[in-house]
C-alpha cells in the first residue's frame, strides 16, 4: 500500500510541495494564534502549542526528506501530533471561544499529514487520514458549523486529488522504468551481437578453416566449430521482419532462414513481397523440398535455393547436387508414391495456382522448381 | 611475377591466418590492415594487384573503401569477404567495382582459388551473389520509369547462365548443360557484372552533374 520505498523521481516534487505547504500553513497558523490569543481561555498555553507547531514542521520536513523514512511510524506520528494540536484547542482556547467563531490552533496546518498520507499511500490512505483529522477537528467544536464541515470536505477532496496524482505518478514512473529496462536490454543484445561477431565468430571460423582439411578428431572439431559458427550467426541475426499491416511479407527473408552449412540461399537484395498466407505455403513447400533433398540426395550433398521475383510470378528453385534420379525413374517413383514429399509440395503449390517442375538426372542432382503467380487484386 | 595482395580485415587473428595461407601459396602479401581508411591510404604506396577486403570494417563502409581503392589504383582487383546476411552491402560493393565475393566460411582451397581467379581478372561468383545480381537486373527492368534508357538488361543467355550459377552449378557443369565452352560461360558472367558496374558509374556521374558537383 505504501510505496515509501520508491525513491520516486516523479514523487519528489510532491514531497517538496508538502514541505512548502507545511511552512506556509505554519505562518498562517502562528499569525492567527497571535491575533486571537486575547480570546483564549489559557493564553500562556498557546506558547508550547506554537513551539510544537514550529518544531514538528521542521522535524517532519527533515524526516520526510528521506524516502526510506516515509513509512508507517512517521505517518502515524505525523497524524498523532496534528491530532494532539487539534484536540489541545479545547483546553487552550476553550469551548466557548471556539463556539463563538475563534479559529482552532492548527487551521490549514492540519491538512499536511493528510497530504503526506495521500502521496505515500494513494487516494484511500489520504481519505482515511482526512476522516481522522476531520473527526478530531469536529470533536473540539461545540456544534457542527458550516465552516468546519467545509474545512473537512476540502481536506477530503484534497486527499482524493493528491492521492490520485501520486498514483498516476507512480504508474508513469513504473512504465518509464520498464521502457528504460527494455531499451537497455535491447542495447545490450546489440552489443553482444557485435561482440560475438567480432570475437567468437571469427575464432570459430578460423578453427573451422584451419582444421577443415585435417582427418580424425581435429577435422571433427573443425566441423563442429563450423556448425556452431552457423548457429551463432543465426542467433544474433535479427529475425525476419514481422508482416506489415497489409499482411505482406518478404519471401526472400523467410526462405533465407533455411540457410545453413549445407543450404545456400540466393535471393534478391530487395524484398520479394507476397501475401502472408501465400508466403507461408511457399515456405512450407520449400521446407518439404529441403527435407526431400536431405533424405534422398546423400549425406555430402549441398542444396541451393534460388528465390526469383519476376513481374507476374515468384519462382523458388531447390536444387541439390546429390545422386539424382534417372529420367525414366522419376515418373515411376512419383507414381509409386516414393516421392511422397514431392506430392505434398505439388499439393501446396497447386492450391496457390502455381506449378511444380521436377528435373533430375543421374549425377546431376535433383531440381524442384516452384512457380507461384502473383495475385493482382 | 608474383601477385601482390593486400589483406583488409579488422580481426587480427583472421588477418594473420589469411596472410599466412596466401604467403604459403606463393603470393606476396604487401600489406595487412584492419582499417578501411588506412587501406586506401597505403594502397598507392604498396600497389597491390588484389585486395582481399572484409566488407564489415569498423571505420568506413566497404563500398567507400572500394571507391577509394579504385580511385588510387584503377587497375586493382577487389575480392570481398563477408559473413552472410548483408545482401544489400554485397550488391553495392559489386556495383562499386568488386569483382569477387566469397563468404568467410569458405574453405582455404576455395579461398586461394578465388584469389587466383580474381588476380587473373575473372569474376568470382557465389550462388548467393548470382541471386543478388539477377534480382538487381529484374529490379531495374521492373522500375516504374522506363525512361531510364541507359538501364542495363541481361540477354536471355546471360539470364540463363546466371540462374544456373545461382542454383550452384559450376562453370564446367553449365558449359556442359548449354553446350558451350567454359570460356563462354565465364564471359557471360563477367558481362553481367561489367554492365552493372558501368551503369553504376554512369549513374554516379549523372548524379554528380545534376548536383552540380562535376
Amino acid at each position: 500500500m505504501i510505496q515509501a520505498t520508491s525513491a520516486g523521481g516523479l514523487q519528489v516534487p510532491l514531497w517538496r510541495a508538502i514541505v512548502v505547504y507545511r511552512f506556509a500553513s505554519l505562518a498562517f497558523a502562528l499569525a492567527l494564534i497571535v491575533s486571537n490569543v486575547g480570546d483564549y481561555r489559557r493564553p500562556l498555553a498557546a506558547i508550547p502549542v506554537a513551539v510544537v507547531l514550529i518544531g514538528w514542521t521542521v522535524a517532519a520536513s527533515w524526516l520526510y526528506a528521506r524516502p526510506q523514512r516515509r513509512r508507517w511510524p512517521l505517518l502515524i506520528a505525523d497524524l498523532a501530533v496534528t491530532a494532539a494540536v487539534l484536540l489541545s484547542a479545547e483546553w487552550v482556547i476553550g469551548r466557548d471561544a471556539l463556539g463563538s467563531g475563534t479559529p482552532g490552533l492548527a487551521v490549514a496546518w492540519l491538512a499536511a499529514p493528510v497530504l503526506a498520507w495521500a502521496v505515500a499511500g494513494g487516494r484511500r490512505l489520504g481519505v482515511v487520514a482526512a476522516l481522522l483529522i476531520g473527526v478530531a477537528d469536529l470533536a473540539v467544536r461545540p456544534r457542527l458549523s458550516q465552516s468546519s464541515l467545509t474545512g473537512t470536505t476540502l481536506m477530503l477532496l484534497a486527499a482524493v486529488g493528491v492521492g490520485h496524482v501520486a498514483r498516476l505518478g507512480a504508474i508513469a514512473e513504473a512504465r518509464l522504468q520498464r521502457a528504460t529496462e527494455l531499451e537497455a536490454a535491447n542495447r545490450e543484445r546489440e552489443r553482444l551481437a557485435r561482440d560475438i561477431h567480432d570475437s567468437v565468430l571469427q575464432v570459430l571460423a578460423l578453427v573451422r578453416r584451419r582444421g577443415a582439411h585435417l582427418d580424425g578428431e581435429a577435422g571433427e572439431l573443425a566441423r563442429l566449430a563450423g556448425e556452431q559458427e552457423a548457429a551463432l550467426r543465426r542467433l544474433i541475426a535479427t529475425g525476419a521482419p514481422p508482416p506489415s499491416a497489409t499482411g505482406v511479407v518478404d519471401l526472400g527473408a523467410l526462405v533465407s532462414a533455411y540457410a545453413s552449412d549445407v543450404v545456400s540461399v540466393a535471393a534478391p537484395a530487395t524484398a520479394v513481397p507476397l501475401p502472408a498466407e501465400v508466403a507461408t505455403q511457399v515456405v512450407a513447400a520449400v521446407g518439404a523440398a529441403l527435407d526431400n533433398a536431405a533424405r534422398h540426395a546423400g549425406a555430402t550433398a549441398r542444396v541451393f535455393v534460388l528465390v526469383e521475383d519476376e513481374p507476374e510470378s515468384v519462382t523458388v528453385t531447390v536444387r541439390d547436387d546429390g545422386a539424382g534420379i534417372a529420367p525414366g525413374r522419376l515418373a515411376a517413383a512419383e507414381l509409386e508414391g516414393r516421392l511422397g514429399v514431392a506430392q505434398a509440395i505439388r499439393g501446396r503449390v497447386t492450391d496457390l495456382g502455381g506449378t511444380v517442375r521436377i528435373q533430375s538426372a543421374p549425377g546431376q542432382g535433383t531440381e524442384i522448381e516452384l512457380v507461384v503467380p502473383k495475385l493482382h487484386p | 611475377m608474383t601477385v601482390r595482395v593486400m589483406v583488409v580485415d579488422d580481426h587480427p587473428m583472421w588477418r594473420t591466418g589469411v596472410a599466412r595461407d596466401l604467403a604459403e601459396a606463393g603470393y606476396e602479401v604487401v600489406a595487412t590492415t584492419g582499417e578501411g581508411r588506412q587501406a586506401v591510404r597505403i594502397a598507392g604506396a604498396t600497389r597491390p594487384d588484389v585486395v582481399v577486403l572484409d566488407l564489415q570494417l569498423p571505420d568506413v563502409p566497404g563500398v567507400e573503401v572500394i571507391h577509394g581503392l579504385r580511385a588510387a589504383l584503377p587497375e586493382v582487383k577487389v575480392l570481398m569477404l563477408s559473413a552472410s546476411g548483408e545482401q544489400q552491402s554485397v550488391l553495392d560493393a559489386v556495383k562499386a567495382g568488386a569483382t569477387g565475393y566469397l563468404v568467410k566460411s569458405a574453405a582455404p582451397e576455395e579461398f586461394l582459388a578465388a584469389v587466383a581467379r580474381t588476380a587473373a581478372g575473372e569474376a568470382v561468383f557465389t550462388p548467393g551473389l548470382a541471386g543478388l545480381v539477377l534480382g538487381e537486373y529484374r529490379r531495374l527492368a521492373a522500375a516504374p520509369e522506363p525512361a531510364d534508357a541507359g538501364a542495363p538488361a541481361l540477354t536471355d543467355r546471360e539470364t540463363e547462365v546466371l540462374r544456373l550459377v545461382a542454383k550452384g552449378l559450376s562453370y564446367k557443369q553449365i558449359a556442359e548443360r548449354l553446350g558451350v565452352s567454359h570460356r563462354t560461360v565465364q564471359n557471360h558472367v563477367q558481362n553481367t557484372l561489367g554492365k552493372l558496374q558501368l551503369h553504376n558509374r554512369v549513374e554516379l556521374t549523372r548524379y554528380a552533374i545534376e548536383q552540380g558537383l562535376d
Side-chain angles (χ1 to χ4, degrees):
Chain A
M1 197 74 186
I2 298 179
Q3 321 127 22
T5 44
S6 144
L10 290 171
Q11 285 202 359
V12 169
L14 287 175
W15 288 110
R16 287 214 186 110
I18 293 178
V19 171
V20 173
Y21 179 85
R22 274 185 206 276
F23 279 96
S25 60
L26 171 71
F28 182 53
L30 291 177
L32 282 184
I33 288 173
V34 170
S35 64
N36 291 311
V37 74
D39 300 334
Y40 289 1
R41 185 145 58 114
R42 297 185 179 84
L44 279 183
I47 295 171
V49 172
V51 170
V52 170
L53 280 176
I54 296 168
W56 185 247
T57 298
V58 173
S61 300
W62 182 76
L63 287 168
Y64 277 113
R66 300 282 297 274
Q68 58 269 40
R69 287 204 212 97
R70 294 173 199 148
R71 293 174 186 281
W72 281 117
L74 179 57
L75 289 170
I76 290 169
D78 195 9
L79 203 66
V81 170
T82 308
V85 170
L86 257 178
L87 294 172
S88 72
E90 193 179 356
W91 189 75
V92 178
I93 303 175
R95 275 195 166 263
D96 299 342
L98 281 170
S100 60
T102 306
L105 290 167
V107 280
W109 194 79
L110 57 79
V114 175
L115 296 179
W117 279 49
V119 172
R123 266 179 307 196
R124 266 178 238 156
L125 272 196
V127 167
V128 169
L131 287 175
L132 288 173
I133 295 287
V135 166
D137 188 34
L138 295 177
V140 297
R141 310 264 173 192
R143 59 178 184 277
L144 287 178
S145 69
Q146 277 192 1
S147 70
S148 56
L149 270 181
T150 306
T152 304
T153 310
L154 278 177
M155 213 158 50
L156 267 174
L157 291 178
V160 171
V162 171
H164 189 58
V165 169
R167 176 66 65 194
L168 284 183
I171 291 170
E173 202 184 324
R175 287 203 187 138
L176 187 69
Q177 174 127 11
R178 223 180 99 70
T180 315
E181 281 168 7
L182 274 179
E183 203 203 326
N186 223 10
R187 220 177 286 153
E188 179 64 7
R189 190 179 160 280
E190 277 169 18
R191 191 190 63 76
L192 270 178
R194 250 195 327 272
D195 272 9
I196 289 173
H197 183 270
D198 289 349
S199 55
V200 184
L201 278 186
Q202 308 285 336
V203 174
L204 284 178
L206 196 69
V207 170
R208 165 193 155 115
R209 188 183 153 81
R210 287 271 145 216
H213 59 283
L214 300 175
D215 298 325
E217 259 182 61
E220 175 68 8
L221 284 178
R223 199 185 57 73
L224 286 175
E227 272 176 18
Q228 289 310 305
E229 183 208 348
L232 258 183
R233 272 195 203 288
R234 277 196 297 277
L235 192 68
I236 63 175
T238 40
S244 66
T246 49
V248 172
V249 294
D250 176 11
L251 182 70
L254 291 174
V255 172
S256 294
Y258 283 123
S260 73
D261 255 14
V262 290
V263 180
S264 142
V265 178
T270 46
V272 182
L274 271 189
E277 62 273 14
V278 176
T280 310
Q281 291 299 317
V282 175
V283 169
V286 171
L290 289 172
D291 284 345
N292 186 53
R295 209 165 310 155
H296 298 291
T300 56
R302 295 202 55 189
V303 186
F304 301 89
V305 182
L306 171 62
V307 181
E308 291 171 279
D309 188 8
E310 283 153 308
E312 299 297 324
S313 60
V314 170
T315 304
V316 183
T317 316
V318 180
R319 177 187 165 268
D320 65 64
D321 62 358
I325 310 167
R329 294 292 306 146
L330 188 63
E334 210 168 336
L335 280 177
E336 287 164 23
R338 267 182 48 213
L339 284 175
V341 185
Q343 298 284 15
I345 297 168
R346 262 190 219 287
R348 284 181 195 279
V349 176
T350 313
D351 285 349
L352 300 173
T355 54
V356 178
R357 200 173 52 85
I358 301 178
Q359 211 182 16
S360 188
Q364 290 232 356
T366 307
E367 189 174 316
I368 303 178
E369 188 184 86
L370 323 172
V371 182
V372 178
K374 286 185 188 170
L375 296 177
H376 298 290
Chain B
M1 196 184 131
T2 52
V3 177
R4 300 160 67 84
V5 185
M6 171 156 79
V7 181
V8 188
D9 192 307
D10 64 317
H11 200 270
M13 270 175 82
W14 179 272
R15 211 157 60 215
T16 318
V18 165
R20 196 169 60 194
D21 285 353
L22 285 169
E24 279 170 10
Y27 291 94
E28 185 183 349
V29 180
V30 293
T32 63
T33 170
E35 285 169 32
R37 281 201 196 87
Q38 198 187 11
V40 173
R41 233 178 6 252
I42 58 180
T46 51
R47 311 200 68 78
D49 301 308
V50 176
V51 176
V52 176
L53 174 69
D54 182 353
L55 270 191
Q56 284 181 313
L57 292 173
D59 58 342
V60 275
V63 183
E64 276 177 36
V65 181
I66 295 171
H67 280 307
L69 287 172
R70 288 177 62 90
L73 287 174
E75 293 303 310
V76 74
K77 315 271 193 321
V78 179
L79 171 66
M80 51 175 166
L81 296 179
S82 96
S84 53
E86 309 150 48
Q87 300 181 320
Q88 189 62 53
S89 55
V90 170
L91 186 59
D92 290 343
V94 160
K95 284 159 81 176
T99 55
Y101 169 55
L102 210 58
V103 287
K104 268 196 153 178
S105 50
E109 49 273 25
E110 231 180 309
F111 168 73
L112 290 174
V115 175
R117 283 168 59 196
T118 306
E122 290 175 24
V124 177
F125 265 55
T126 59
L129 179 55
L132 287 173
V133 171
L134 208 50
E136 179 64 6
Y137 275 104
R138 292 235 166 87
R139 187 185 69 80
L140 288 170
E145 330 153 36
D148 190 6
L154 293 176
T155 64
D156 288 347
R157 190 31 81 92
E158 283 166 351
T159 306
E160 200 174 7
V161 170
L162 263 192
R163 289 192 74 205
L164 293 174
V165 175
K167 290 180 205 171
L169 275 81
S170 68
Y171 289 2
K172 187 161 156 277
Q173 287 171 312
I174 296 170
E176 276 169 19
R177 212 185 254 207
L178 300 181
V180 296
S181 74
H182 186 271
R183 185 74 229 167
T184 308
V185 173
Q186 218 166 60
N187 285 341
H188 282 313
V189 173
Q190 204 101 337
N191 283 344
T192 65
L193 265 198
K195 282 193 272 190
L196 216 49
Q197 289 168 351
L198 183 63
H199 176 63
N200 192 48
R201 277 203 294 282
V202 170
E203 287 288 283
L204 285 177
T205 313
R206 183 193 294 171
Y207 177 80
I209 292 171
E210 276 172 11
Q211 302 292 312
L213 304 170
D214 50 333

